[in-house]
Amino acid sequence: MRRLLAVVCVMTMTLTACSRTNDPVPTGLDDTAPGTTDDAAASDGTRRMLRPFDSCDALLRYYIDGASDLVGPYGLGGGFGGGVVLEEAMAASADNAGGDQVAATAGARQDVSGTNTQEAGVDEPDLVKTNGDVIVTSVTGRVQVVSVATGEVVSTIPLPRDVYSAELLLAGTDLLVLSTGGAPGVVGPADRIQAFAPTRTTVTRVDLRDPAAPVVGGSIRMEGAYRSARMIDGTVRFVMVSEPTGLSFVQPTDGGLTAEAAAEEENRRILAESDIDDWVPHYQLLDSQGRADTTQPLLDCTAISQPATFAGLSTLSVLTFRVDDAGLVPTSSAGLVAAGDTVYASTDRLIVTTSPWGGWVVPFLDVIGRPEPREMVTDIHSFDIADPTATRYVASGSVQGTLIGQFALSEVDGVTRVATTTNPDWFGGPGGDSQSSLITLTEQGEQLVETGRLDGLGVTEQIQAVRYLSPTLAAVVTFRQTDPLYLIDTTDPAAPTLLGELKIPGFSAYLHPVADGYLLGVGQDADEQTGETLGAQVSLFDIRDPADPRRVAQLDLGQGYSPVQGDHRAFLHWTPTGQAVVPLELYGYTISGTGEYIEAPEQQFGGAVVIGIGAGTLTEQARVASREAAPGEYVPATVRSIVIGNELWTLSYEGLSRFSFTTFERLGTTRL
């Protein structure tokens, strides 16, 4: 069953090195234990969780064997899992917490805010970046450069015509555009179903020394979809997921059983006769005019590894670039065949997690039962990225349960901390058997060995937020009806210890350290008896005595939500002034004490709230929006906020707005 669950997810991750002849992507991993057999051993004699394939034939057999459990009359997964009829596709194609948000790039201005990141010194891509002289944004689907001095759009950077999303990394005047789109057109027999909808990811370098005339340098175009990236001192680790692009299947010619049997037989023949190029991703290097050179496999067969448990058919690749490299030739790559896409990075470790049970969430496959909590295991794979030119596999381990995302992970000095829930609510919970844990793992040979754990957090509840406040202190929030905030001492990795807890109505979906001994939480107030959410709230916790955490201030913002609840990059904390900017969208109604919805159009709001943070106090200083609105008129919420000098810039899907950060007077608006 677990193998079938893994296959259904139809995702794969690749995290080892590559070294194909004439392939400019050089090797970056130490393949000390080649082979694919279950008894492959690490250098210390223990069983390897990652085992490189020793040939293309071995890799191809692995793919075909895994896909054979799913192939049927309509292709893979019954023809529903992202497959598209080719002629239709042609028609459609017409570890210390970051805390301070001061820009950390070498040489960057210190009066300019950067992206709100998980780890200090590890930048994350975003919809907007600034170096203090220009603001670059991709929020509209176009990459536009805005002069800070004039507030005008001075240039627009062209992107491939099929791009539907793009994020940015900026170091000084070196810009990387990370864009994802579909294939421009799929040509094939009209009676075939493509197994997976094609996607393309392009990484483009742009020189912004003259913002009015940006120079587009080299690009690399790859098969697959962009997932995540991190930049440390100008070195970028880029993560993408690639589905097999060379597979297309027939479908029954009518509704009869004979036609179905014939179609399945033909599809099994197609699968058996597929070659390795049908499965692995490819890339092209592009010149400044977008012209491509030869097409090459992104990874060599012997550079691709498999985890101990089969977990999918896709390829997740990690590539390393220098942001100032005009040609964008990767300096190393890494890979792993498995399902999942959670990515975490400290300054010296990149961690990816994989989950063999992830296929259960595919709704149309009702033949698969709900996994038991004990079956939900997350594998953790750690890579050394301290050397900016290499990506070296370190170790792997497993933990029971699910992760809420990157904030569930932390790594400091070879110790990995991970927070898990054994029965997530998207599996039909919460149930009585649900609980959360904080687990510590240490690197021993090529194993991440469980060193210690603290169980029993939030029994019957789900983790809502995690923040590792230091190498020795972690904060975990769970929720069902009340909001337990747990403070956990991890000084001794062998014995994580619960220091204190606080139970209050509602929950915090995002936690941010704001001053010595204080923690800010953004989330929802809730009814203490039913757990029904009552509106957005911001809470300030005094954790100076971890054994006695207290909520010392609370702001009820109204019936609505903050985008921070789903994206930490939407939050701004400006340490020099002790202010926070929280995007906010309020609905045009209130809820009475009896649960009745009462229309209140005057309360509808889209924008951001500016909050002053003191020693135990929260003060709402202002609410700012992209424009004035009549009662009940919709205005989109702010998606990002930037500080440049004494000015606050807010970004929404309508444009950029500029305010004084002291009086909050509107200084200008830039329509995008």
Side-chain angles (χ1 to χ4, degrees):
M1 171 62 73
R2 289 184 57 177
R3 184 165 183 265
L4 181 56
L5 292 172
V7 179
V8 175
C9 193
V10 195
M11 292 178 61
T12 309
M13 301 166 55
T14 18
L15 278 182
T16 63
C18 56
S19 57
R20 183 184 292 266
T21 304
N22 298 322
D23 188 343
V25 185
T27 184
L29 292 180
D30 179 15
D31 292 339
T32 55
T36 60
T37 57
D38 286 343
D39 59 354
S43 56
D44 61 356
T46 60
R47 181 171 178 260
R48 282 182 72 114
M49 289 190 68
L50 295 187
R51 302 183 299 281
F53 291 94
D54 56 14
S55 68
C56 287
D57 287 342
L59 176 58
L60 180 59
R61 287 195 303 271
Y62 182 84
Y63 279 131
I64 292 175
D65 183 58
S68 65
D69 288 344
L70 272 182
V71 71
Y74 298 91
L76 291 175
F80 293 98
V84 59
V85 178
L86 300 185
E87 59 184 5
E88 293 177 354
M90 293 174 61
S93 68
D95 228 336
N96 289 327
D100 295 346
Q101 206 164 326
V102 177
T105 303
R109 289 170 45 177
Q110 296 305 299
D111 62 344
V112 176
S113 64
T115 298
N116 181 39
T117 62
Q118 180 179 4
E119 298 283 8
V122 184
D123 196 13
E124 301 180 27
D126 204 358
L127 299 172
V128 63
K129 294 288 182 178
T130 184
N131 58 15
D133 297 319
V134 296
I135 297 173
V136 189
T137 176
S138 61
V139 71
T140 63
R142 298 177 295 168
V143 178
Q144 296 171 285
V145 182
V146 176
S147 167
V148 170
T150 66
E152 297 178 349
V153 176
V154 295
S155 61
T156 299
I157 298 168
L159 292 177
R161 63 183 176 89
D162 60 314
V163 164
Y164 52 76
S165 67
E167 292 190 333
L168 312 169
L169 285 168
L170 181 65
T173 59
D174 293 318
L175 174 71
L176 281 190
V177 181
L178 317 175
S179 58
T180 297
V186 182
V187 178
D191 62 343
R192 292 288 187 94
I193 297 176
Q194 190 172 358
F196 304 94
T199 55
R200 301 286 185 269
T201 293
T202 303
V203 181
T204 304
R205 181 184 180 273
V206 182
D207 186 337
L208 290 179
R209 281 177 290 184
D210 182 356
V215 177
V216 177
S219 301
I220 182 170
R221 180 168 60 205
M222 298 163 283
E223 295 171 342
Y226 159 68
R227 282 292 183 270
S228 186
R230 299 292 187 274
M231 182 168 68
I232 303 171
D233 295 330
T235 296
V236 179
R237 312 286 175 166
F238 181 83
V239 182
M240 60 176 289
V241 172
S242 307
E243 310 288 4
T245 60
L247 297 175
S248 60
F249 296 100
V250 302
Q251 52 190 328
T253 56
D254 57 46
L257 293 177
T258 300
E260 285 193 358
E264 179 168 346
E265 181 180 358
E266 175 63 11
N267 287 336
R268 290 192 175 278
R269 184 195 64 78
I270 292 171
L271 182 65
E273 295 180 1
S274 63
D275 61 36
I276 195 63
D277 279 339
D278 295 328
W279 296 91
V280 298
H282 297 75
Y283 78 96
Q284 295 171 332
L285 293 178
L286 311 179
D287 62 19
S288 60
Q289 303 302 313
R291 294 184 295 258
D293 67 356
T294 58
T295 301
Q296 301 276 353
L298 189 61
L299 298 168
D300 188 79
C301 298
T302 58
I304 299 176
S305 292
Q306 69 173 93
T309 303
F310 185 88
L313 298 173
S314 310
T315 303
L316 186 147
S317 306
V318 176
L319 306 176
T320 303
F321 303 98
R322 285 292 305 174
V323 70
D324 55 2
D325 178 9
L328 280 183
V329 176
T331 58
S332 71
S333 65
L336 166 66
V337 177
D341 58 0
T342 298
V343 179
Y344 161 85
S346 65
T347 54
D348 62 356
R349 288 292 185 271
L350 176 80
I351 294 176
V352 295
T353 68
T354 66
S355 304
W357 43 263
W360 184 85
V361 300
V362 180
F364 61 84
L365 287 173
D366 54 6
V367 297
I368 297 177
R370 174 185 173 191
E372 296 294 329
R374 65 179 179 274
E375 293 180 324
M376 294 185 287
V377 176
T378 299
D379 291 338
I380 300 172
H381 309 285
S382 181
F383 298 82
D384 186 343
I385 59 171
D387 181 349
T389 65
T391 305
R392 184 179 63 84
Y393 171 65
V394 175
S396 298
S398 297
V399 293
Q400 185 180 358
T402 67
L403 278 60
I404 61 167
Q406 66 185 67
F407 278 83
L409 292 160
S410 170
E411 186 280 332
V412 179
D413 297 330
V415 176
T416 297
R417 295 175 289 180
V418 55
T420 70
T421 295
T422 57
N423 187 16
D425 53 10
W426 41 272
F427 272 97
D433 54 0
S434 173
Q435 68 158 351
S436 297
S437 305
L438 191 140
I439 303 166
T440 57
L441 306 152
T442 58
E443 298 170 3
Q444 298 181 19
E446 292 182 350
Q447 299 287 313
L448 287 176
V449 177
E450 182 179 311
T451 305
R453 63 186 300 135
L454 176 64
D455 295 318
L457 303 175
V459 174
T460 78
E461 299 176 339
Q462 317 296 314
I463 288 180
Q464 301 294 323
V466 182
R467 196 68 192 243
Y468 296 99
L469 302 171
S470 75
T472 62
L473 184 63
V476 177
V477 170
T478 62
F479 175 72
R480 185 180 183 186
Q481 292 170 314
T482 58
D483 173 5
L485 169 66
Y486 299 99
L487 295 178
I488 302 167
D489 182 1
T490 60
T491 303
D492 181 1
T497 304
L498 180 63
L499 297 174
E501 64 178 285
L502 171 67
K503 291 190 175 182
I504 55 176
F507 63 91
S508 296
Y510 176 69
L511 298 172
H512 196 94
V514 292
D516 290 340
Y518 289 93
L519 183 65
L520 194 75
V522 180
Q524 291 281 314
D525 194 5
D527 184 281
E528 190 168 359
Q529 300 302 317
T530 66
E532 181 181 3
T533 57
L534 302 176
Q537 71 172 7
V538 176
S539 301
L540 184 64
F541 303 100
D542 183 345
I543 58 172
R544 288 176 295 179
D545 179 2
D548 183 28
R550 294 178 296 122
R551 182 164 68 179
V552 293
Q554 177 186 9
L555 287 178
D556 290 319
L557 301 179
Q559 187 63 44
Y561 77 102
S562 171
V564 172
Q565 294 176 219
D567 191 341
H568 64 280
R569 299 172 299 177
F571 179 82
L572 169 67
H573 176 232
W574 188 235
T575 307
T577 62
Q579 291 168 289
V581 182
V582 178
L584 183 63
E585 184 164 331
L586 299 183
Y587 315 133
Y589 61 81
T590 60
I591 301 177
S592 69
T594 60
E596 180 184 3
Y597 287 77
I598 303 172
E599 290 189 11
E602 72 281 358
Q603 296 190 23
Q604 185 163 326
F605 174 77
V609 57
V610 182
I611 299 171
I613 305 170
T617 64
L618 293 176
T619 305
E620 182 176 321
Q621 296 180 338
R623 293 192 179 191
V624 295
S626 60
R627 56 181 166 84
E628 299 295 330
E633 182 182 359
Y634 174 76
V635 177
T638 295
V639 294
R640 299 292 187 270
S641 303
I642 300 170
V643 174
I644 302 176
N646 295 318
E647 296 179 349
L648 171 68
W649 294 70
T650 63
L651 176 68
S652 76
Y653 289 100
E654 292 187 339
L656 281 162
S657 299
R658 187 177 192 173
F659 304 89
S660 164
F661 208 17
T662 53
T663 67
F664 308 108
E665 174 189 3
R666 183 187 300 275
L667 302 177
T669 299
T670 304
R671 297 299 176 190
L672 299 174

